């Protein structure tokens, strides 16, 4: 009776040490990035310098659409990013067809459905009701969930605050209505319900 107990304890100890060694090693396998944006040349975000973030960092935006694409595609290679959910990814699809998963959620469902039929929609993302002061269960969002189910595609939800300073600095006027129900409890949320 003591033998099985000993084997179990030995197996548990060996498993513990092998898991500890694994978690201490640096991951070098493939990565799926779930949140990138492609932009057309007219984007007002190009060339901006964001004020210091909550971490005290200052960010400088890329100069133009081509600069952004080249920088991101280089990082795909450098960091072994094998798939990337890219909002407006159709702009880069020709450059990285096996990597890009085209995402969009800023259009009516009928247009998103047509995009899917044309192979220009793999993910309905990013759904971002929090920037409008809505929770994820708001009736206006339901049509996107229904479409995702119909098309058999995932849906991606953006939570507050956004990229480096977006919610806090780029659109400070929306802070009063911002919702963070699915985010960290320590984030800003002026709601009472």
């Amino acid at each position: 009776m003591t033998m099985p107990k000993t084997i179990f304890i030995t197996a548990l100890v060996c498993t513990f040490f092998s898991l500890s060694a694994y978690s201490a090693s640096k991951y070098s396998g493939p990565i799926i990035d779930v949140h990138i944006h492609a932009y057309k040349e007219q984007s007002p975000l190009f060339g901006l310098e964001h004020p210091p973030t909550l971490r005290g960092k200052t960010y400088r935006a890329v100069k133009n659409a081509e600069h952004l694409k080249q920088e991101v595609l280089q990082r795909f290679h450098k960091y072994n990013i094998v798939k990337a959910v890219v909002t407006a990814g159709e702009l880069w699809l020709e450059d990285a067809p096996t990597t890009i998963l085209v995402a969009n959620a800023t259009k009516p469902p009928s247009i998103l459905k047509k995009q899917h039929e044309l192979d220009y929609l793999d993910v309905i993302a990013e759904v971002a009701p929090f920037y409008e002061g809505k929770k994820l269960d708001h009736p206006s969002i339901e049509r996107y969930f229904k479409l995702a189910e119909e098309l058999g595609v995932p849906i991606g939800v953006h939570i507050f605050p956004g990229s480096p300073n977006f919610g806090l600095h780029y659109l400070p006027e929306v802070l009063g209505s911002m919702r963070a129900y699915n985010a960290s409890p320590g984030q800003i949320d002026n709601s009472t319900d």
Side-chain angles (χ1 to χ4, degrees):
M1 197 134 201
T2 54
M3 186 133 155
K5 211 182 241 185
T6 305
I7 292 170
F8 174 73
I9 291 171
T10 304
L12 188 61
V13 169
C14 288
T15 301
F16 173 75
F17 283 116
S18 65
L19 288 175
S20 296
Y22 176 76
S23 64
S25 66
K26 185 176 178 183
Y27 179 75
S28 61
I31 294 173
I32 299 172
D33 191 317
V34 297
H35 188 198
I36 297 177
H37 289 264
Y39 291 101
K40 292 183 178 180
E41 201 56 59
Q42 305 88 327
S43 173
L45 299 174
F46 295 136
L48 289 180
E49 182 173 305
H50 295 277
T53 64
L54 298 176
R55 289 181 235 142
K57 293 183 178 182
T58 298
Y59 290 87
R60 287 176 187 78
V62 293
K63 300 169 195 161
N64 55 45
E66 184 62 26
H67 184 208
L68 173 66
K69 179 173 67 172
Q70 294 310 316
E71 288 289 327
V72 171
L73 294 180
Q74 285 175 12
R75 282 170 177 78
F76 284 175
H77 180 71
K78 179 178 180 179
Y79 297 111
N80 197 19
I81 296 172
V82 297
K83 291 289 180 192
V85 176
V86 182
T87 301
E90 66 274 9
L91 298 172
W92 298 351
L93 193 57
E94 189 175 304
D95 297 284
T98 61
T99 305
I100 302 292
L101 296 171
V102 179
N104 206 316
T106 60
K107 298 174 182 168
S110 60
I111 296 193
L112 295 177
K113 186 173 183 175
K114 186 68 172 170
Q115 281 186 288
H116 183 265
E117 290 169 5
L118 298 170
D119 289 330
Y120 283 129
L121 184 73
D122 300 300
V123 181
I124 296 176
E126 58 198 65
V127 174
F130 309 108
Y131 286 107
E132 298 173 13
K134 300 173 185 172
K135 292 189 340 183
L136 198 54
D137 62 355
H138 193 274
S140 66
I141 309 302
E142 187 175 338
R143 60 191 182 144
Y144 292 99
F145 284 107
K146 284 182 179 179
L147 180 62
E149 185 177 12
E150 177 187 334
L151 300 178
V153 299
I155 191 163
V157 177
H158 193 298
I159 58 174
F160 176 83
S163 60
N165 291 334
F166 192 75
L168 296 176
H169 298 286
Y170 190 66
L171 292 175
E173 67 275 9
V174 302
L175 281 179
S177 65
M178 193 107 17
R179 305 294 289 249
Y181 277 85
N182 291 351
S184 167
Q187 291 181 338
I188 297 171
D189 186 357
N190 291 334
S191 67
T192 57
D193 59 351

